[in-house]
Amino acid sequence: DTGVSQDPRHKITKRGQNVTFRCDPISEHNRLYWYRQTLGQGPEFLTYFQNEAQLEKSRLLSDRFSAERPKGSFSTLEIQRTEQGDSAMYLCASSLDDTQYFGPGTRLTVL
Amino acid sequence: AQKVTQAQTEISVVEKEDVTLDCVYETRDTTYYLFWYKQPPSGELVFLIRRNSFDEQNEISGRYSWNFQKSTSSFNFTITASQVVDSAVYFCALRPSGTYKYIFGTGTRLKVLA
């Protein structure tokens, strides 16, 4: 197993476009998390899945953001009608317990 | 309010010096969990340690040690005999019991100079 993978690694889009990111967790991990990280800041919690159930979601996550984890395996994070303020690194992590394993992230730039 | 404060934005030390990274947290929960993560220049965060609120015993792992003091709401991290490979951003995080919303501090950038 090679760890948590994320695709794409970089995404440049124009304001108003929709984008979708994918996260493949470590295969036996039932917990999956999405975070957003901007320059000079720590990761900011977005949402948490246990298997396929989305159990927690940050109030910071507006209606433009949605995440899914069908069949409790990979997860997708979609941002609709992107804004320049969405530019950030989007991190995915997975775990069996409190030891989270992070992926390399997807860097989003909204022009 | 739940909050993690890492007041040191950046620290520079010379190799072999000891360095302590400070972490102060706020929570009203009696049960909670504290963490440290390392983010090297390559970018991926790496888990270092987890501590629950009922275990105030200090921990040592090689050159790393952690000092948890509930009385001051602090969970400080010390690197002994620092090495260039320790250069990274270090994050302290809090998870209150009953939620999986991890709260991260803003991080401390450690530069170890040869």
Side-chain angles (χ1 to χ4, degrees):
Chain A
D1 195 8
T2 57
V4 179
S5 60
Q6 293 187 242
D7 184 69
R9 297 290 305 275
H10 303 272
K11 178 71 177 178
I12 300 173
T13 191
K14 292 182 179 178
R15 190 175 51 187
Q17 298 295 305
N18 299 343
V19 295
T20 299
F21 309 142
R22 177 180 171 121
C23 170
D24 286 274
I26 293 171
S27 57
E28 66 269 24
H29 286 183
N30 61 339
R31 301 182 187 181
L32 187 144
Y33 314 79
W34 283 99
Y35 293 88
R36 179 173 65 187
Q37 186 176 23
T38 53
L39 199 63
Q41 299 297 313
E44 180 182 33
F45 173 86
L46 292 178
T47 191
Y48 162 68
F49 288 87
Q50 187 160 316
N51 299 310
E52 67 276 7
Q54 187 176 23
L55 298 184
E56 292 198 70
K57 191 173 169 181
S58 168
R59 281 181 226 150
L60 298 170
L61 218 62
S62 72
D63 291 342
R64 298 185 298 106
F65 287 69
S66 62
E68 294 182 342
R69 193 183 182 196
K71 302 178 184 177
S73 56
F74 72 92
S75 177
T76 57
L77 176 69
E78 181 184 16
I79 308 175
Q80 296 183 328
R81 304 181 304 281
T82 52
E83 302 172 355
Q84 287 186 325
D86 297 331
S87 294
M89 179 74 85
Y90 289 83
L91 301 172
C92 176
S94 71
S95 74
L96 280 174
D97 48 29
D98 260 334
T99 303
Q100 293 186 67
Y101 294 82
F102 281 82
T106 294
R107 181 170 297 284
L108 173 66
T109 302
V110 182
L111 302 176
Chain B
Q2 324 269 18
K3 188 179 177 182
V4 173
T5 301
Q6 294 181 256
Q8 304 153 308
T9 305
E10 185 168 314
I11 301 175
S12 291
V13 298
V14 176
E15 206 170 20
K16 298 184 183 177
E17 285 185 356
D18 299 347
V19 58
T20 295
L21 309 182
D22 298 333
C23 173
V24 174
Y25 62 92
E26 293 177 34
T27 180
R28 292 183 180 175
D29 294 282
T30 54
T31 304
Y32 51 89
Y33 304 89
L34 297 165
F35 307 82
W36 276 94
Y37 280 84
K38 174 182 180 179
Q39 189 170 35
S42 62
E44 292 186 35
L45 280 100
V46 176
F47 169 86
L48 295 177
I49 191 171
R50 170 189 186 268
R51 173 65 78 220
N52 75 56
S53 54
F54 296 106
D55 182 3
E56 286 194 73
Q57 196 168 22
N58 291 333
E59 182 155 340
I60 298 174
S61 175
R63 296 185 296 107
Y64 295 172
S65 62
W66 290 270
N67 183 305
F68 175 32
Q69 292 196 340
K70 286 179 77 169
S71 60
T72 56
S73 297
S74 65
F75 186 43
N76 296 338
F77 173 30
T78 297
I79 302 175
T80 303
S82 59
Q83 300 176 2
V84 172
V85 293
D86 296 327
S87 296
V89 181
Y90 291 86
F91 292 98
C92 181
L94 164 72
R95 179 175 79 78
S97 177
T99 176
Y100 288 94
K101 292 182 181 179
Y102 291 76
I103 302 157
F104 283 77
T106 52
T108 296
R109 180 178 299 279
L110 174 65
K111 292 184 177 179
V112 182
L113 308 171

